[in-house]
Amino acid sequence: MVTENNPENSDSGAIEAFIAAFEANRELLLNMARSYTKNMEDAEDVLHDILVRVLQKFRGDDFDPNFNYTGYLYKSVKNTCLNLIRNNKRRSKNNKRSNIADRHLPDQVERVIVAELSNIMQSTLESMPNGIFRDIFRLRELEEFSYLELGEELGIPQGTVMSRMHRARREFAETLAKNK
């Protein structure tokens, strides 16, 4: 890892130290960003965003010439890439939802599909062997109780509700698979 030079203690010297650290480590930072983003364009965007954000955020008097700018840059690249990945996943998930919503089915077809899914879900629930899991699944998924509300309703701690809900979902999936 290349380290930055620490020029004189003036304001412009501190900014120059930051830019020197950026330039000295640019290729390594770019490779790091590319390993997260999986493409060069996004990696370059990450580096550009970091440079612009830092230079806009800090005034000359905020820069400390003795600060470890190199470490800061590596941490910034990592965090910016993780945020980018997280945001892309959210956008992708939202796009999938909107694509499904954009498909306009005739009302009659939609009602038939909803009725069929409801019948399948109901028959699967009725054929679940464990009544405790069936009840907790029905309350959480169909009646949309929160974990807190479920705990109060059933008189059990919220952690127990979560554990039972996990097992209920697994049992529901297994029952659904058997009934196919």
Side-chain angles (χ1 to χ4, degrees):
M1 177 165 41
V2 180
T3 58
E4 66 277 357
N5 296 332
N6 288 330
E8 61 197 65
N9 286 337
S10 70
D11 293 344
S12 65
I15 293 172
E16 289 171 9
F18 173 78
I19 293 172
F22 184 84
E23 289 302 322
N25 293 284
R26 187 178 192 291
E27 287 303 313
L28 294 172
L29 293 168
L30 189 61
N31 288 336
M32 180 182 179
R34 188 176 43 210
S35 73
Y36 279 105
T37 62
K38 305 297 185 221
N39 74 59
M40 184 58 91
E41 288 177 5
D42 285 343
E44 289 172 347
D45 287 346
V46 164
L47 289 188
H48 180 263
D49 290 348
I50 290 169
L51 183 61
V52 169
R53 187 174 58 234
V54 169
L55 292 176
Q56 285 177 344
K57 182 178 178 182
F58 294 109
R59 309 273 186 267
D61 56 342
D62 291 336
F63 279 89
D64 177 5
N66 298 317
F67 185 73
N68 180 5
Y69 295 113
T70 303
Y72 177 81
L73 283 167
Y74 279 95
K75 190 71 166 180
S76 293
V77 167
K78 176 185 173 193
N79 290 337
T80 303
C81 288
L82 293 176
N83 287 338
L84 178 70
I85 291 166
R86 190 177 309 117
N87 291 338
N88 285 344
K89 283 183 182 178
R90 285 184 189 140
R91 271 190 230 115
S92 175
K93 191 181 280 188
N94 288 338
N95 285 343
K96 286 179 185 175
R97 288 182 186 153
S98 67
N99 287 342
I100 291 170
D102 288 344
R103 296 180 197 147
H104 298 290
L105 296 174
D107 289 338
Q108 187 177 7
V109 174
E110 189 173 335
R111 279 186 291 229
V112 169
I113 291 171
V114 168
E116 185 62 29
L117 288 174
S118 179
N119 289 338
I120 291 169
M121 188 165 218
Q122 193 62 39
S123 67
T124 303
L125 269 173
E126 289 171 3
S127 60
M128 284 175 69
N130 191 327
I132 294 171
F133 295 148
R134 179 178 49 243
D135 293 341
I136 205 163
F137 187 90
R138 182 182 50 76
L139 290 171
R140 173 75 178 141
E141 298 299 333
L142 299 179
E143 297 183 24
E144 298 180 354
F145 276 52
S146 70
Y147 287 116
L148 184 61
E149 292 170 332
L150 275 169
E152 290 171 357
E153 180 76 21
L154 300 173
I156 57 176
Q158 188 175 351
T160 303
V161 170
M162 294 168 74
S163 174
R164 287 185 183 173
M165 190 59 210
H166 174 74
R167 287 184 271 170
R169 284 186 180 121
R170 186 175 53 210
E171 189 173 296
F172 181 85
E174 290 170 0
T175 305
L176 181 62
K178 287 178 191 175
N179 290 343
K180 277 190 174 179

